[in-house]
Amino acid sequence: MSVRLGINPLTWTNDDMPALGGDTPLDTCLAEGKQAGFAGFELGHKFPRVPEKLGPILEKHGLLLVSGWYSSELLTRSAEEEIEALKPHLHLLKSLGASVMVFCEVTHCVHGERDTPLSHSPRMSEEGWKTFIPRLNQVADYCLEQGVQIAYHYHLGTVIETPDEIDRLMAEASPSVGLLLDTGHLVAAGGDPVVVQKKYANRINHVHCKDIRKDVLADVRNRDLSFLDGVLNGMFTVPGDGHIDYTTLFEGLRESDYSGWMVVEAEQDPAVAHPLTYACLGHDNLRRFCAEARLTVDA
């Protein structure tokens, strides 16, 4: 089995805080991502959202579409309403060959609010769980029937953030709901990527690789800062520039025959963290970790 290396445009331009990298053209992101060695990109807010426009742009740069974030609101709308809302996104992914959809429930989320500390992350009530899971299963079944599997993205500042919440999601959701293993969000929420990988090896269908600067994370927690303040202060970085043990994690992925994308998704302030420099660093470190774990990278 082999994996492919991709990147998210957050390295250059930020979706949660559009002022970060706001003047960077999409062509710059794509050209520099290709220069760094990546085979594909996830979507960002500067990407055209119809395949007829985006396909030729990616083809010009010799890149594939990896996946793209979808903001779910299943706590406030029905499964049928959600399916109608996601159809254009699903069509884009399917048309351009992406097999997974990055999916996150954003009802009551706070990660886009700079003045709201992470300690105010929303929590799902029992009634919320009983509403959410059947609706999620219905949406996931529909997407899988269309050839694209949901990769659920637990995320700081949302209703599914902590290891306990991930455990409940995996216990109650149907097998059609895959799990996106995001190393940085898991560590920042008090979890261990190696433990989660071993526990849910058969559910993981997408991997986001972001590293954590421990001192900045501690400061964010100690001073009760927001997610966006954490980003601006440098809480996240590319794999290999923090303290997460990627070699052991990748050994587990090899043993479980993971064959999807490894995506560098490490939001930083591009005025501080030079995008091409960090893209190259992230790519080279991922290749090194794969080699150490004897995980084959698809050329």
Side-chain angles (χ1 to χ4, degrees):
M1 306 298 283
S2 61
V3 299
R4 291 183 287 185
L5 306 186
I7 193 166
N8 188 288
L10 283 169
T11 299
W12 292 267
T13 177
N14 196 290
D15 283 11
D16 294 323
M17 189 179 285
L20 296 181
D23 58 350
T24 303
L26 175 60
D27 269 356
T28 298
C29 303
L30 298 177
E32 292 188 352
K34 181 68 174 180
Q35 181 182 342
F38 291 100
F41 261 79
E42 289 189 334
L43 295 171
H45 70 280
K46 294 184 178 181
F47 285 60
R49 293 306 174 106
V50 293
E52 295 79 10
K53 291 185 178 180
L54 180 56
I57 293 171
L58 292 174
E59 185 176 357
K60 180 182 76 171
H61 290 278
L63 292 164
L64 300 172
L65 179 61
V66 174
S67 184
W69 171 284
Y70 178 77
S71 294
S72 164
E73 298 178 43
L74 282 168
L75 288 171
T76 58
R77 58 189 179 193
S78 69
E80 291 80 10
E81 291 170 327
E82 198 70 72
I83 288 169
E84 285 303 311
L86 65 72
K87 279 182 176 178
H89 186 63
L90 177 62
H91 174 67
L92 175 63
L93 298 179
K94 183 178 179 180
S95 298
L96 296 183
S99 61
V100 298
M101 178 191 296
V102 176
F103 191 97
C104 182
E105 177 64 29
V106 300
T107 304
H108 307 309
C109 67
V110 301
H111 64 278
E113 301 174 6
R114 190 172 177 187
D115 295 331
T116 304
L118 276 172
S119 61
H120 290 200
S121 291
R123 292 291 172 256
M124 196 119 67
S125 65
E126 279 300 313
E127 182 180 353
W129 279 103
K130 291 175 182 177
T131 298
F132 177 69
I133 292 295
R135 292 177 178 179
L136 174 65
N137 288 343
Q138 186 175 337
V139 173
D141 289 346
Y142 173 81
C143 289
L144 193 58
E145 289 168 2
Q146 301 300 311
V148 177
Q149 187 180 23
I150 281 176
Y152 193 90
H153 191 342
Y154 52 86
H155 196 288
L156 294 173
T158 72
V159 291
I160 299 179
E161 169 186 283
T162 68
D164 286 345
E165 290 160 349
I166 296 167
D167 286 342
R168 181 161 184 178
L169 174 71
M170 290 290 94
E172 298 184 11
S174 71
S176 59
V177 179
L179 181 66
L180 190 158
L181 179 64
D182 186 298
T183 54
H185 280 278
L186 189 58
V187 170
D192 184 337
V194 172
V195 170
V196 170
Q197 187 279 321
K198 290 185 182 300
K199 188 182 293 188
Y200 301 116
N202 64 331
R203 300 290 291 275
I204 293 169
N205 61 344
H206 202 48
V207 179
H208 277 177
C209 301
K210 58 161 62 75
D211 220 326
I212 289 282
R213 295 185 175 102
K214 292 175 73 171
D215 55 339
V216 181
L217 173 61
D219 181 65
V220 169
R221 292 301 189 185
N222 290 340
R223 293 201 288 137
D224 201 20
L225 301 180
S226 68
F227 175 78
L228 290 178
D229 277 336
V231 169
L232 290 171
N233 293 348
M235 177 169 66
F236 296 128
T237 184
V238 297
D241 192 42
H243 76 282
I244 294 175
D245 180 3
Y246 278 97
T247 300
T248 300
L249 176 64
F250 286 8
E251 287 172 348
L253 289 168
R254 173 181 54 79
E255 290 167 2
S256 67
D257 291 330
Y258 177 76
S259 59
W261 287 91
M262 305 284 207
V263 181
V264 171
E265 196 236 23
E267 50 264 62
Q268 301 187 78
D269 182 348
V272 176
H274 183 255
L276 179 58
T277 299
Y278 276 87
C280 291
L281 179 63
H283 175 270
D284 293 349
N285 284 343
L286 277 190
R287 288 201 70 96
R288 174 167 58 86
F289 294 138
C290 286
E292 291 171 354
R294 292 178 289 118
L295 187 60
T296 303
V297 175
D298 188 341

